[in-house]
Amino acid sequence: MQVHNGDVTNNGNTLWGLLQNDFWGQRISSPQSHKSYRPLTVLSFRLIRGAWSALPRHWQHAVMVRRARSLPPYFENEAGRRGLDPLPFHLANVLWHALVSGLVCRAPPSKATGVGGRGGVHGRLAGPARVVAWAVTDEPKFLRIVLLTGVGVAYVKLRSWVAVDQLVRIYRKVENPIPFSSSRLERVLTTGHLHSRYAGLLLAPLQLSADWSFSCIPLVGSLTDPRNGLTVALYGYLIWTVLAARPWGLLGTWWRAALDAAAASAGGAEAGSGGAATATEAEVAEAERLWGARWRLLVTASLLVGPFFPASNVLFYVGTFIGERLLYFPSIGFCILAAEALARGLLCAQRPRAASGAVKPAGNGAHDRASVAGKGKDGVGARRPTNAGVARLLYGFMAVVLLAYTIRTWRRNYDWWSEESLFESAAQAGRAGAGRDGVAGTVCASSAKVQLNLGILQRRRGDQRAALGHFRAARAIEPSYCDPGYWIGVSLINAGDPQAGLPELEAALACKYTANEALRALHALYGALHDADPSDPAPLPHALGEACDQLERAAAMYAQRGAAQDAMNALGWCLRTVRQRAEAAGAEGDAAGAAAQVAAEVFGTSAGPPPPRLLRCLEARTPLHRALAEAAGRPTAPRVRIESYRYMSILEEMPYCRTASATLARPSSEAAASATSSAASLAAPGAAAAAAGGSGATTPHMQLIHVVQSADAEDPWLQAEWGRALREAGRGKEGALHLSVSAMLLRQQLARAQNGQPPTVRSLADPSRPVGHKEALLAMAAALEEAAALGRPEEACELWGQAAEARRALAAAAKAAGATKDAAQQAASLARAMEELRRGGPACAEQLHGAQRLAEAAASGPAVGDGKGQAGRGAAPSGGGARGAAAAAAASQPAAARQPAKGRRH
């Protein structure tokens, strides 16, 4: 809705932002964008709103009062309050159409000037230049086609540059079920049927709906489906249009005409006008027919098929099953073709026809034809009769069609009078087309979105029971459609059944489209119950952890869009709530302890304060969210990199922040058990994920690190942290790959230092300076050990051997520096690597032998330089360098980021 588009409602937004944002005001380069790029439309909205705001207040008030009288009493005209009432937009739309119509209605160009008249110009040009001059002066259609093609290509390239990725990745089955079908035949047949339905809407717009989402139209899954006949008819017409026009001969015709024009220009005006052959009547008729066929093909391609093709689900899947708005430009082409067909029929009807008994003249000259045509049966110059009856029938047909379209347009305007009438018209149309089973045959009571919106309208009327019926119908139509869950929850609570509504609201937290509303509703519900009876342990915030997880996910999405305030608002709610509950619990003292005991015994939940770890993790991630939002979602911004390193440094002391907030908000006994999951995950990959409530879950930490890491696959710190996040999610094999890539990238930095080259990686502890030798060695050794514990057994021997090599270098450096304690720790780590190699058996014999020699060398105290040399040798899995290995590792994505193969675009 443009009501919430800051590019329309906020004069502080720059006009440059119109070119960078989509139709909804979101950064179009964001993966969360709908990719609907309409900057001129948004600019027109902004200008019209500004003009409306400049009107005197009493004028605005009078219009708003009149509008309010026509709306239901419970309808809130939020758009009107923001200066976006539809009335001025519709008025401006009519004025714009009138202006454009006036501009295109102009006198036809004069045909008095021929080729010979330009002979003086063409004669002075060389051969290729003559052809170009002919295209510019004598054949302007050619020049227009070239210019239009160039403008179209330039627009597509501009849009590609602005949008980065033109495909939309966030559509759902309820919006477009075609890509979710497992049958290729069903996808193809349904796409073809949709095209015929679009053509039907142009021909006979009897059944119209504001929403055609699943399942308005059942998918076409069989060749025997009778609806395929409509597809065959449509494509048969399009093929006939192409064959009749013979476009493959057009370029040859133009080329011959250009050469003739150039030759005539070279020979002078006399040569150009002499020797012209007189075309026969049949040739003239064929030329006129071919010209008309090619004109119809041009209109069909440029104004009917062309504007619709990007949204046709042919090149890629879009986020709309059927959208009547997509027929705006095609309707212009349809009207032109319909008018041309009727005009052609009238010309044929008004063309003189031969009288009965008339004899065709033997001659074929123009004089003979004129003399015969001018004589009647009495020899006087009477005209031959025309098909007057056919002409009258055509005029009558045109009048009936125009009247029918006018009446349908007039009635449809009343459907758009309000949101209520709009969706009720869709449901009524669906019931009118319903079959014996009660399911809508055409439009559109079986649409999940229509049912959802009807339920919302019933809630506005106060009819909770009817609203629940619509919400449950929406869920039954498409169970994966998560939006109805929130509305079912709030409706049940409003209907006096909070016990049934509370689980629905908690489940709605998992739906990103309703998570914020569900959180607000739960917060209000818990707050009201607590205020009513503070000693009652029933309204416990046992969903606090889930709420914080969802809020952090929302904050990450806002940050990627560059919406800093929205991101901070989402995080602020969770931070304030956690702090308030911790303070309240500390003030209640013994009463809080009693409440916790009752809650644990009766409700199985914890009424105590949330553990401090939850608050610490939230506070640790907040600066990174803020930096990402202030950088307009650019993960490579310097401030984002600094905050990323700061957060990863904190993780060394607080590794539990890699787990979900829901885990951190558990009772103390469960939290203590969960605290060991990070260490246990090294030996048993997936243990942390299981403790968090399921393998493969995308935690806020995982989502945030993925945003930053995916922008720079050659940063060893981000690679290592992404590997650890995958380990916590139970994806140990993928985590091992990223950890080994991190070790390889660090090894390359050590090699650069050994060769006297400056490092290209910054220090994790202090991003203002390059990474040091010891820091890189320590991080490399840790990454290798973790990768060896998580990876495949056949790779573990090599990884443990490389880890032993790094530990030996660290021990040697510590011993040389006189750091006895540090040297002992590194020696212990070296001994652990050797123990792991011994467990590997014969497969690790070579690496074990090398590690033993390294241990002996470390005990004898080799030079520090030798240690550097050992660590500088190539390691990590084979794969063609850092970029190749990083690209291979980039295949590992969070579970929540996986999408169907095709995207959508508006």
Side-chain angles (χ1 to χ4, degrees):
M1 292 177 61
Q2 295 301 304
V3 174
H4 305 292
N5 186 348
D7 291 333
V8 175
T9 61
N10 187 2
N11 292 329
N13 287 18
T14 62
L15 294 179
W16 176 249
L18 297 177
L19 298 177
Q20 296 178 307
N21 299 337
D22 62 15
F23 183 69
W24 311 105
Q26 185 171 334
R27 189 60 57 93
I28 195 171
S29 58
S30 169
Q32 303 299 320
S33 170
H34 286 261
K35 306 297 182 182
S36 49
Y37 190 56
R38 310 169 200 170
L40 295 180
T41 303
V42 176
L43 176 62
S44 69
F45 288 160
R46 184 166 177 169
L47 293 176
I48 294 171
R49 186 191 66 83
W52 168 261
S53 302
L55 293 176
R57 286 298 182 93
H58 63 279
W59 289 14
Q60 299 180 21
H61 179 71
V63 173
M64 293 297 297
V65 170
R66 185 174 181 82
R67 282 279 292 157
R69 293 173 182 168
S70 62
L71 297 174
Y74 47 83
F75 184 83
E76 297 181 4
N77 191 4
E78 182 182 0
R81 291 197 305 270
R82 292 173 178 246
L84 296 171
D85 190 85
L87 179 62
F89 292 94
H90 289 313
L91 178 61
N93 191 28
V94 172
L95 294 176
W96 278 115
H97 279 73
L99 177 62
V100 172
S101 299
L103 291 176
V104 299
C105 291
R106 56 184 177 85
S110 173
K111 299 182 180 179
T113 305
V115 172
R118 296 188 178 93
V121 177
H122 292 175
R124 294 192 297 269
L125 301 176
R130 291 173 187 165
V131 176
V132 175
W134 165 84
V136 174
T137 59
D138 295 335
E139 191 62 38
K141 290 192 296 295
F142 181 82
L143 180 62
R144 288 199 297 268
I145 292 175
V146 172
L147 290 177
L148 287 175
T149 303
V151 170
V153 171
Y155 169 77
V156 171
K157 297 300 291 183
L158 171 65
R159 194 185 190 285
S160 301
W161 176 70
V162 173
V164 181
D165 180 11
Q166 298 221 57
L167 300 182
V168 179
R169 311 287 181 179
I170 57 176
Y171 59 83
R172 297 178 288 176
K173 181 180 179 180
V174 71
E175 292 153 351
N176 187 357
I178 297 177
F180 294 89
S181 172
S182 59
S183 169
R184 181 178 180 83
L185 177 64
E186 187 174 62
R187 294 195 297 269
V188 172
L189 294 179
T190 303
T191 301
H193 177 62
L194 287 189
H195 297 165
S196 67
R197 290 300 296 262
Y198 275 114
L201 289 175
L202 288 174
L203 282 170
L206 300 177
Q207 301 286 352
L208 298 174
S209 174
D211 194 288
W212 291 77
S213 57
F214 185 77
S215 58
C216 282
I217 300 176
L219 301 183
V220 181
S222 171
L223 291 173
T224 59
D225 194 311
R227 293 176 293 173
N228 291 322
L230 299 175
T231 306
V232 172
L234 172 64
Y235 281 96
Y237 166 76
L238 295 177
I239 293 173
W240 173 82
T241 302
V242 173
L243 295 179
R246 288 185 287 178
W248 49 86
L250 187 60
L251 293 178
T253 302
W254 275 345
W255 183 252
R256 287 192 298 271
L259 293 179
D260 292 343
S265 301
E270 294 78 14
S273 60
T278 303
T280 64
E281 184 177 0
E283 290 174 341
V284 171
E286 175 61 18
E288 291 179 351
R289 185 204 67 78
L290 191 59
W291 186 93
R294 287 173 175 173
W295 179 86
R296 286 188 291 274
L297 176 61
L298 178 64
V299 174
T300 301
S302 60
L303 293 179
L304 193 64
V305 176
F308 171 75
F309 192 66
S312 63
N313 285 292
V314 174
L315 297 178
F316 40 77
Y317 294 124
V318 298
T320 303
F321 195 46
I322 288 183
E324 294 169 9
R325 64 186 181 278
L326 302 177
L327 293 177
Y328 184 78
F329 263 110
S331 65
I332 298 175
F334 168 75
C335 291
I336 293 175
L337 290 174
E340 188 270 344
L342 291 172
R344 189 153 35 95
L346 287 174
L347 288 176
C348 292
Q350 293 174 354
R351 187 174 299 163
R353 57 184 175 87
S356 59
V359 180
K360 185 176 181 179
N364 59 358
H367 174 75
D368 294 335
R369 289 193 297 272
S371 61
V372 172
K375 293 181 180 180
K377 61 182 180 180
D378 53 357
V380 187
R383 294 177 58 84
R384 286 185 294 177
T386 60
N387 297 308
V390 175
R392 284 193 292 270
L393 285 176
L394 285 174
Y395 279 121
F397 175 73
M398 290 170 59
V400 170
V401 170
L402 289 176
L403 180 62
Y405 282 168
T406 302
I407 294 174
R408 185 68 186 99
T409 302
W410 185 268
R411 295 182 61 183
R412 185 60 175 166
N413 284 334
Y414 282 100
D415 293 341
W416 281 87
W417 190 258
S418 67
E419 187 179 13
E420 181 180 39
S421 59
L422 183 62
F423 285 101
E424 286 184 344
S425 67
Q428 290 168 0
R431 286 192 289 270
R436 289 178 298 177
D437 56 357
V439 178
T442 52
V443 188
C444 203
S446 59
S447 163
K449 285 193 172 183
V450 168
Q451 289 294 334
L452 181 71
N453 282 281
L454 288 173
I456 295 173
L457 293 173
Q458 293 295 338
R459 276 181 51 81
R460 291 179 182 174
R461 294 173 176 173
D463 191 345
Q464 304 296 337
R465 185 178 299 275
L468 277 170
H470 287 295
F471 295 144
R472 286 169 174 156
R475 174 183 283 176
I477 291 171
E478 176 47 48
S480 66
Y481 185 34
C482 61
D483 299 44
Y486 162 75
W487 294 102
I488 291 174
V490 295
S491 298
L492 287 170
I493 292 173
N494 294 149
D497 190 1
Q499 296 297 327
L502 188 59
E504 294 284 355
L505 284 179
E506 292 177 347
L509 293 173
C511 178
K512 68 178 181 180
Y513 303 97
T514 60
N516 288 341
E517 289 80 3
L519 286 170
R520 295 190 188 99
L522 285 170
H523 179 61
L525 176 62
Y526 288 138
L529 293 174
H530 179 74
D531 293 341
D533 188 0
S535 63
D536 183 9
L540 297 173
H542 56 275
L544 178 61
E546 288 86 346
C548 288
D549 282 342
Q550 294 297 333
L551 279 172
E552 280 207 75
R553 293 188 183 100
M557 289 189 290
Y558 285 133
Q560 288 179 271
R561 292 169 46 187
Q565 189 59 47
D566 292 333
M568 292 303 99
N569 289 341
L571 285 173
W573 185 94
C574 186
L575 283 167
R576 287 192 305 271
T577 304
V578 172
R579 289 195 184 105
Q580 289 171 1
R581 298 198 179 281
E583 294 170 359
E588 291 172 6
D590 295 339
Q597 183 178 359
V598 173
E601 294 176 356
V602 179
F603 299 100
T605 59
S606 171
R613 296 178 306 155
L614 174 57
L615 183 59
R616 287 198 294 267
C617 292
L618 290 170
E619 292 174 339
R621 283 192 288 265
T622 297
L624 179 53
H625 282 289
R626 181 183 292 108
L628 187 62
E630 292 176 350
R634 292 185 296 109
T636 56
R639 185 64 186 171
V640 176
R641 184 56 49 89
I642 291 173
E643 292 298 337
S644 301
Y645 283 16
R646 182 200 60 80
Y647 173 55
M648 288 188 289
S649 298
I650 294 175
L651 288 175
E652 296 180 1
E653 300 177 0
M654 300 189 302
Y656 47 78
C657 289
R658 296 188 181 102
T659 60
S661 298
T663 304
L664 300 179
R666 289 176 179 174
S668 300
S669 59
E670 299 178 36
S674 177
T676 63
S677 61
S678 295
S681 63
L682 287 173
S695 178
T698 303
T699 64
H701 164 81
M702 187 177 185
Q703 182 179 11
L704 192 58
I705 290 298
H706 173 66
V707 170
V708 185
Q709 181 269 338
S710 59
D712 187 1
E714 297 191 21
D715 188 304
W717 310 115
L718 293 172
Q719 283 283 2
E721 187 52 46
W722 178 237
R724 295 177 181 114
L726 289 172
R727 178 195 68 198
E728 294 294 330
R731 297 160 63 182
K733 297 297 186 293
E734 299 171 65
L737 175 61
H738 286 273
L739 287 164
S740 61
V741 168
S742 173
M744 180 189 63
L745 293 170
L746 290 167
R747 186 181 291 273
Q748 290 180 349
Q749 296 302 312
L750 292 170
R752 289 179 62 88
Q754 185 182 19
N755 296 331
Q757 298 174 323
T760 58
V761 172
R762 313 307 294 176
S763 168
L764 182 65
D766 184 5
S768 63
R769 59 180 178 83
V771 63
H773 175 260
K774 181 179 180 181
E775 183 182 18
L777 266 178
L778 281 170
M780 184 182 71
L784 287 169
E785 290 168 350
E786 293 178 60
L790 295 171
R792 293 187 293 268
E794 58 271 20
E795 297 176 352
C797 295
E798 180 66 24
L799 292 172
W800 280 119
Q802 295 169 13
E805 191 177 320
R807 292 298 181 184
R808 178 259 179 188
L810 285 166
K815 191 171 183 179
T820 308
K821 183 177 180 181
D822 191 11
Q825 291 176 347
Q826 299 304 325
S829 298
L830 175 58
R832 178 172 176 268
M834 294 174 59
E835 181 62 27
E836 294 293 339
L837 289 172
R838 290 190 186 95
R839 292 178 182 175
C844 299
E846 181 181 353
Q847 288 79 10
L848 177 60
H849 181 65
Q852 289 173 340
R853 285 190 285 107
L854 290 173
E856 294 172 359
S860 61
V864 178
D866 181 49
K868 291 183 181 180
Q870 292 286 346
R873 293 189 306 186
S878 60
R883 188 175 298 275
S892 301
Q893 302 293 336
R898 296 173 186 161
Q899 295 289 347
K902 290 190 177 184
R904 89 181 201 189
R905 176 179 10 176
H906 278 300

